[in-house]
Amino acid sequence: MQKMMKVLAACAFAALLMPGVASAEDLITFDAAAINALPGKTTPDKLIVRPFLQPGGDTTLARVSLPANSDIAPHAHPAGKVAIVVVLSGDFKIGLGDKFDEAGLKTVAPGGVIVLRDTDPKHFARTGNGPVELMLVAAPKASVAPAWLGTK
C-alpha cells in the first residue's frame, strides 16, 4: 500500500509539472471580417498585403487581397526568392513575361498553387468578377522543398 501511495504521489507531482493543455477558448482564430480588419499595406495596384511575419527576415508570409476585375501589371518578387502562392478564393489568372499578355494568362482555381522560381521573368495577373484572396510565401530557393521547384 505504501508503494502504491508513492506511485500515486509521483504521478500527481508529474501532472503538476506538465504544461497545461490549451482549451478551445484559448485558440486564436480569425474569420474573414477579422482578417480584413487587420492592418495591411495597399499597393498602387490596389492590392492589400497583410504580413504574418516581421519585416527584415529571409522569409515573407502574407495574405494578399486583390479587387475584382483588376489587371496586375508585370512585376518581379525580390531577387533570389522563390514565391509560392496559394489561391484561397476567387477567379485568378496569371502569366509570365515583361508585358501583360492576355493570351499568356493561365487560370489557377481556388486551392491551386503557383510557384514563381527565382529565375522566372516578371509575372502579371488578372482577377475575375469577384475579389481574390491569396496566401504568399517568398523564401530563399535553398529553403524550398525541391518538389515545389519541379526537381527531386
Side-chain angles (χ1 to χ4, degrees):
M1 183 72 142
Q2 190 174 14
K3 187 174 183 180
M4 187 173 173
M5 292 301 283
K6 286 183 180 178
V7 170
L8 288 173
C11 289
F13 182 71
L16 289 174
L17 295 178
M18 291 176 24
V21 176
S23 70
E25 297 162 0
D26 296 332
L27 291 174
I28 299 171
T29 62
F30 295 88
D31 61 16
I35 291 169
N36 291 335
L38 291 172
K41 177 183 173 187
T42 302
T43 70
D45 287 328
K46 305 247 188 293
L47 282 68
I48 301 172
V49 180
R50 293 180 178 88
F52 281 81
L53 304 175
Q54 294 291 338
D58 283 343
T59 302
T60 299
L61 174 61
R63 172 108 175 208
V64 181
S65 303
L66 295 85
N69 302 309
S70 295
D71 286 345
I72 310 306
H75 63 283
H77 286 278
K81 303 268 178 130
V82 173
I84 300 171
V85 182
V86 180
V87 179
L88 301 174
S89 64
D91 179 15
F92 188 68
K93 297 177 181 175
I94 188 166
L96 292 175
D98 291 334
K99 294 181 182 176
F100 193 99
D101 176 14
E102 190 166 345
L105 289 169
K106 180 177 181 177
T107 299
V108 182
V113 175
I114 303 150
V115 178
L116 299 164
R117 296 164 294 228
D118 59 332
T119 57
D120 282 340
K122 291 181 179 180
H123 55 280
F124 50 89
R126 173 174 285 161
T127 63
N129 292 330
V132 171
E133 294 292 325
L134 306 173
M135 187 68 68
L136 166 71
V137 179
K141 180 180 179 180
S143 65
V144 178
W148 290 106
L149 299 172
T151 61
K152 293 183 180 185

